[in-house]
């Protein structure tokens, strides 16, 4: 199966936002993502963006830009994304200081993870924690 090894992720959550530029600002400033690429249309609409965190990434764009994906996602509700971070408490402090809506403070889970949960500006739920399941061969 392709994508089971190497340095590139094989799964990319893909989200659409009414204000993709504001989403990019929040994801980088509050949640610590790094902007990899942003492609804008002539009118400033975000056609496609890629943000990275650790060895994972999320793709996003503006709602209403047209195309098959935009049409398929029309009316879709918010999504949930889980991101592995090393220091949950420091990550949480940064998000809270940047005004992110915190849904659950850092909490130790029964399965050994420490997690917190936040909602972004357009309702997507982001969980950040230490749980990192093994997905490679022999897992």
């Amino acid at each position: 199966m392709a994508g089971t090894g190497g340095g590139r992720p094989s799964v990319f959550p893909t989200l659409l936002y009414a204000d993709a530029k504001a989403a990019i600002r929040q994801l980088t400033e509050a949640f610590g993502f790094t902007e990899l690429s942003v492609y804008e249309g002539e009118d400033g609409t975000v056609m496609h963006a890629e943000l990275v965190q650790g060895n994972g990434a999320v793709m996003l764009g503006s709602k209403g830009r047209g195309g098959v994906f935009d049409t398929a996602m029309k009316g879709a509700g918010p999504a949930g994304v889980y991101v592995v971070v090393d220091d949950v408490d420091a990550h949480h402090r940064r998000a809270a200081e940047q005004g992110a809506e915190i849904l659950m403070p850092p909490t130790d889970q029964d399965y050994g993870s420490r997690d917190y949960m936040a909602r972004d500006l357009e309702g997507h739920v982001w969980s950040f924690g230490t749980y990192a399941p093994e997905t490679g061969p022999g897992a």
Side-chain angles (χ1 to χ4, degrees):
M1 176 181 355
T4 58
R8 292 185 182 202
S10 60
V11 177
F12 295 87
T14 305
L15 306 169
L16 294 180
Y17 290 89
D19 188 343
K21 289 180 180 178
I24 291 168
R25 273 192 309 278
Q26 183 183 42
L27 292 172
T28 57
E29 294 172 8
F31 297 150
F33 280 80
T34 300
E35 191 178 294
L36 183 63
S37 62
V38 177
Y39 302 96
E40 295 183 10
E42 290 181 17
D43 63 354
T45 299
V46 176
M47 301 305 289
H48 177 82
E50 298 169 5
L51 306 178
V52 297
Q53 171 84 245
N55 65 352
V58 62
M59 296 188 289
L60 64 94
S62 296
K63 288 181 178 177
R65 68 186 196 285
V68 175
F69 187 73
D70 184 51
T71 301
M73 293 293 289
K74 187 175 178 102
V81 180
Y82 187 88
V83 179
V84 177
V85 296
D86 291 328
D87 187 338
V88 172
D89 295 284
H91 197 277
H92 169 264
R93 274 191 301 279
R94 175 183 179 159
E97 287 169 1
Q98 291 293 322
E101 179 186 356
I102 305 299
L103 302 176
M104 180 185 80
T107 304
D108 292 325
Q109 304 297 333
D110 293 339
Y111 50 90
S113 184
R114 183 162 178 78
D115 303 331
Y116 83 94
M117 194 180 309
R119 185 183 329 270
D120 73 19
L121 297 172
E122 294 193 24
H124 299 292
V125 176
W126 293 81
S127 298
F128 299 92
T130 58
Y131 180 69
E134 291 294 329
T135 59

